[in-house]
Amino acid sequence: MKNETSFLKNPFFISWILALLFYSLEYAIRSSPSVMIGNLQTNYDTSSTEISSLISAYYITYSITSLAAGLFLDRYGAKKPVFFGILVLAIGCLLFGGSYYDIGYAGRLMQGMGSAMAFPAAVYIAVKAFSGKNLATAIGVTQTLGMLGGSAGQKLSNSYLSGGNSVNSIWIIFGVISLILALLAFVFIPKTDTNTNSEKQKNIFDNYKIIFSNPQSYLCGLISGFLFAPTTIFAMIWGVNFLQKTRNISLESATVACALVPIGWAIGCPLLGWIADKIKRRIPVIVGGAILMATSLLQLSYLPDLVSENISFLFLGIGSGAAMIPYSIIKEVNPDKVKGSAAGAINFLTFGVTTLLAPLFSKLFGSKLTIGLNDNSLLQHSLLFFVIGIFGTVIISFFLKETGNVKPAETN
């Protein structure tokens, strides 16, 4: 029993808890705007297309800063990067709580910048807080709680706004909570001896040169990006608005349906990862997850009476758990010495896809949403946009190197 609970006495255990809260909070902040597009339109006195651009700005800085997150952790340890990451997130929320579009846009960019530190920091700290036999479980818990944070963010934000509260105040609350968490991180996260030498610092960007010169790295990023796109762009930005206006579904029901996507992701990520390890094959599981996603979207589009929207979105989320498998593959198709940087690289590529697709989706479909539209064909066409990307993923996956049945030494 002593060995099983020894991690509780590890000073990094509390740090990991704080990192978990950071990751859950940033996911709540990432997903909450989906239930307040109308409120934000009124607050900023602008169109739904410009609000979509505002919300999507998060992914611009998130993808770029992901490249630097791992480097900062390796160079400075966890204390300073986590503190400044949460602080930047807090300032972003406070700026987003105003009524000026340009300031709000800058705030959303800062939210993405600060949030990029959350997951890498949680993994970095988990390595120090847990023994090898508990590490995989700890990382799985981290991923799951992040997704649950996204679901909770949508539900709680909707309940708060439905109570007659202003959209500005909810972002002030997010900002204050983030400031408190930043202070706790500064106090409780211990300093880390990074043991970096000048030669390592000099050559640290060579890691990315190796990764980005490998075509397999781009395939991993494209697959994850296209599998994530329906969840990040539709479920976390446009889904609530689309269900309300094309299917005449209430705000509360639409919010519940979209909030089931991150819950499905929390189920699908560990489940599909376990299946991939069990059968020692990565690509069939990616293809299976993609097919489940496409089937869910097509059913939602053309056979809406077959099952409820809740079931459709839940299975969409479960299938999208396959998007995490390329996160393992990119580490397996690159040398051992760049595996840490590979995580930042695939985050950059994955959310780079979101950054490119979000404004395109907004222009093609989001701009056509109007109050009382009740036009199912618009929903069908918008979901086909993602189905095409998903089938593109299936094709790309056949060019991906199968690493599930290869020993680590053979993948370098």
Side-chain angles (χ1 to χ4, degrees), residues 239-369:
V240 173
N241 219 17
F242 261 87
L243 290 177
Q244 279 186 274
K245 294 177 180 177
T246 64
R247 287 279 174 83
N248 198 28
I249 297 174
S250 69
L251 174 61
E252 183 175 354
S253 296
T255 300
V256 170
C258 290
L260 284 168
V261 170
I263 291 178
W265 200 96
I267 297 170
C269 178
L271 175 62
L272 296 183
W274 177 82
I275 293 174
D277 287 338
K278 188 71 173 178
I279 68 173
K280 297 182 179 181
R281 301 280 290 178
R282 309 274 193 239
I283 295 173
V285 181
I286 292 174
V287 173
I291 291 174
L292 178 58
M293 291 180 68
T295 302
S296 299
L297 292 174
L298 291 172
Q299 177 271 314
L300 182 63
S301 299
Y302 297 101
L303 298 171
D305 296 328
L306 187 62
V307 296
S308 69
E309 291 84 2
N310 291 0
I311 300 299
S312 303
F313 277 104
L314 179 64
F315 278 101
L316 174 66
I318 292 173
S320 72
M324 282 303 293
I325 295 177
Y327 277 68
S328 297
I329 296 176
I330 196 172
K331 296 180 180 182
E332 295 164 338
V333 296
N334 283 291
D336 281 335
K337 64 181 180 180
V338 301
K339 292 190 186 301
S341 301
I346 192 171
N347 249 1
F348 169 74
L349 293 169
T350 297
F351 291 98
V353 172
T354 298
T355 302
L356 294 174
L357 291 182
L360 179 60
F361 180 86
S362 174
K363 182 178 181 179
L364 292 176
F365 307 107
S367 61
K368 298 178 182 178
L369 278 181

Side-chain angles (χ1 to χ4, degrees), residues 91-345:
I91 296 172
C93 290
L94 295 175
L95 292 177
F96 201 72
S99 299
Y100 295 97
Y101 184 86
D102 290 342
I103 294 177
Y105 196 93
R108 191 63 174 168
L109 288 172
M110 292 186 71
Q111 290 173 20
M113 184 183 299
S115 295
M117 185 60 65
F119 185 71
V123 173
Y124 179 91
I125 294 172
V127 171
K128 298 182 178 298
F130 296 91
S131 63
K133 66 179 181 179
N134 295 318
L135 181 58
T137 300
I139 293 175
V141 170
T142 301
Q143 293 172 333
T144 298
L145 289 184
M147 299 303 104
L148 294 179
S151 178
Q154 289 177 309
K155 291 182 179 179
L156 293 176
S157 295
N158 178 57
S159 298
Y160 181 82
L161 293 173
S162 298
N165 298 294
S166 70
V167 70
N168 306 80
S169 62
I170 194 170
W171 290 101
I172 301 300
I173 292 173
F174 275 135
V176 171
I177 292 174
S178 299
L179 286 173
I180 294 172
L181 186 59
L183 179 61
L184 292 173
F186 185 78
V187 171
F188 288 103
I189 295 180
K191 292 183 178 180
T192 308
D193 182 11
T194 55
N195 292 321
T196 54
N197 54 53
S198 58
E199 184 66 21
K200 182 177 179 181
Q201 294 174 35
K202 180 180 178 181
N203 297 326
I204 199 164
F205 288 102
D206 288 347
N207 291 359
Y208 288 122
K209 183 178 180 180
I210 294 171
I211 294 167
F212 288 120
S213 64
N214 183 352
Q216 290 288 312
S217 299
Y218 294 97
L219 296 182
C220 289
L222 286 173
I223 290 171
S224 278
F226 281 117
L227 292 182
F228 264 127
T231 64
T232 54
I233 298 174
F234 192 78
M236 292 189 178
I237 298 179
W238 284 105
V240 173
N241 219 17
F242 261 87
L243 290 177
Q244 279 186 274
K245 294 177 180 177
T246 64
R247 287 279 174 83
N248 198 28
I249 297 174
S250 69
L251 174 61
E252 183 175 354
S253 296
T255 300
V256 170
C258 290
L260 284 168
V261 170
I263 291 178
W265 200 96
I267 297 170
C269 178
L271 175 62
L272 296 183
W274 177 82
I275 293 174
D277 287 338
K278 188 71 173 178
I279 68 173
K280 297 182 179 181
R281 301 280 290 178
R282 309 274 193 239
I283 295 173
V285 181
I286 292 174
V287 173
I291 291 174
L292 178 58
M293 291 180 68
T295 302
S296 299
L297 292 174
L298 291 172
Q299 177 271 314
L300 182 63
S301 299
Y302 297 101
L303 298 171
D305 296 328
L306 187 62
V307 296
S308 69
E309 291 84 2
N310 291 0
I311 300 299
S312 303
F313 277 104
L314 179 64
F315 278 101
L316 174 66
I318 292 173
S320 72
M324 282 303 293
I325 295 177
Y327 277 68
S328 297
I329 296 176
I330 196 172
K331 296 180 180 182
E332 295 164 338
V333 296
N334 283 291
D336 281 335
K337 64 181 180 180
V338 301
K339 292 190 186 301
S341 301

